Amino acid sequence: MSRKIALITGASRGLGKNAALHLAKQGFDIIGTYHSKAGEAQTLVSTLQQSGARAAMLQLDVGDSASFAAFASRLRDTLENDFGRNSLDVLVNNAGIGINVPFAETSEAQFDQLLNIQLKGPFFLTQHLLPLLADGGRIINISTGLTRFALPGYAAYAAMKGAMEVLTRYQAKELGARGIRVNILAPGAIETDFGGGVVRDNEGVNAFIAGNTALGRVGLPDDIGAAIAVLASEGAGWVTGQRLEVSGGMFL
């Protein structure tokens, strides 16, 4: 029986990279995308191959929806030539950026950048990839705990993620006839380089978050990668249209 294949956007670093490692442990082959860090992308390919998984990385700017048709064509070729398949089993819409700026100071350019990467990108990328997603497959979108609780400076970012949560329910409803499960995972604060690495590197911020989290610490990339693997597993086959917050009980 052939291994299943997961496509993870933004897989060269951070949570995307961690998700790739966890899914490979679960028996998936991995196709990842990267924006500009080709060296990091190829290092991940080598790591995944050493673990026994087949892997490939493709360049993609999720903020450029005009490039999605060409990307889908490259992906189809990669599936056929490198994996002997014509379909994916899991799509993880992970790629994104964070901009921390007060609502009153948010520029139109910042708003549009977040809109293109965090909402328009995954909306139309998923649309373009539907013909390559196997019936019975999974779509895993990524949100944030900031759609449930509010921290100053994330109005535009959280608004885009809130829209993704609504979109997830509609995707689950409309794609259910194909047996495709669609869920959205909402991380709490995680120690990565996201947003300049403030959660990881600022001791005061780290301590504040840990003190307001039921499990008493800030999240780690492994916490999120493992949860993505759960949603991709057969055990989550009866779960669709759901928002799963993975925050250790932040701001309960």
Side-chain angles (χ1 to χ4, degrees):
M1 183 177 179
S2 63
R3 291 164 62 101
K4 292 185 175 181
I5 301 173
L7 172 66
I8 305 168
T9 64
S12 64
R13 50 185 278 275
L15 300 184
K17 176 181 178 180
N18 195 271
L21 295 171
H22 276 275
L23 285 169
K25 289 179 184 177
Q26 192 169 291
F28 281 84
D29 290 332
I30 304 295
I31 301 175
T33 77
Y34 67 95
H35 179 250
S36 58
K37 298 184 182 298
E40 292 185 10
Q42 290 310 309
T43 297
L44 177 60
V45 167
S46 297
T47 300
L48 292 169
Q49 290 174 339
Q50 289 169 9
S51 74
R54 289 181 296 179
M57 294 289 281
L58 302 175
Q59 197 280 330
L60 174 67
D61 179 357
V62 296
D64 179 14
S65 57
S67 71
F68 292 168
F71 173 78
S73 179
R74 281 189 288 133
L75 176 61
R76 183 180 290 107
D77 290 343
T78 299
L79 282 166
E80 293 177 354
N81 296 331
D82 297 351
F83 296 85
R85 288 274 306 275
N86 59 13
S87 65
L88 299 164
D89 300 287
V90 174
L91 167 62
V92 183
N93 284 309
N94 165 76
I97 63 166
I99 296 177
N100 184 333
V101 60
F103 165 74
E105 299 170 18
T106 301
S107 69
E108 220 174 313
Q110 289 170 323
F111 184 95
D112 287 345
Q113 185 181 20
L114 285 167
L115 175 68
N116 288 334
I117 293 174
Q118 304 287 14
L119 179 57
K120 184 179 180 180
F123 187 107
F124 287 104
L125 180 63
T126 301
Q127 189 183 84
H128 275 84
L129 298 185
L130 282 178
L132 296 176
L133 185 62
D135 291 350
R138 306 281 199 276
I139 298 171
I140 302 170
N141 297 320
I142 303 296
S143 182
T144 172
L146 292 162
T147 60
R148 178 177 63 82
F149 51 79
L151 291 176
Y154 292 103
Y157 173 79
M160 306 306 167
K161 292 299 193 181
M164 283 300 301
E165 293 181 7
V166 174
L167 175 62
T168 295
R169 295 196 294 273
Y170 275 83
Q171 289 174 327
K173 185 77 167 182
E174 296 187 20
L175 300 177
R178 290 182 53 193
I180 294 173
R181 289 79 160 171
V182 190
N183 295 289
I184 190 160
L185 186 144
I190 308 296
E191 291 188 2
T192 68
D193 58 3
F194 188 79
V198 62
V199 172
R200 179 192 61 200
D201 301 333
N202 187 308
E203 291 184 7
V205 170
N206 195 292
F208 170 76
I209 293 170
N212 285 280
T213 300
L215 294 181
R217 64 169 174 83
V218 171
L220 301 172
D222 273 337
D223 297 319
I224 307 304
I228 289 172
V230 169
L231 285 177
S233 72
E234 292 302 315
W238 199 234
V239 180
T240 195
Q242 300 304 305
R243 175 190 188 273
L244 174 64
E245 183 169 311
V246 185
S247 69
M250 189 173 170
F251 294 129
L252 292 179

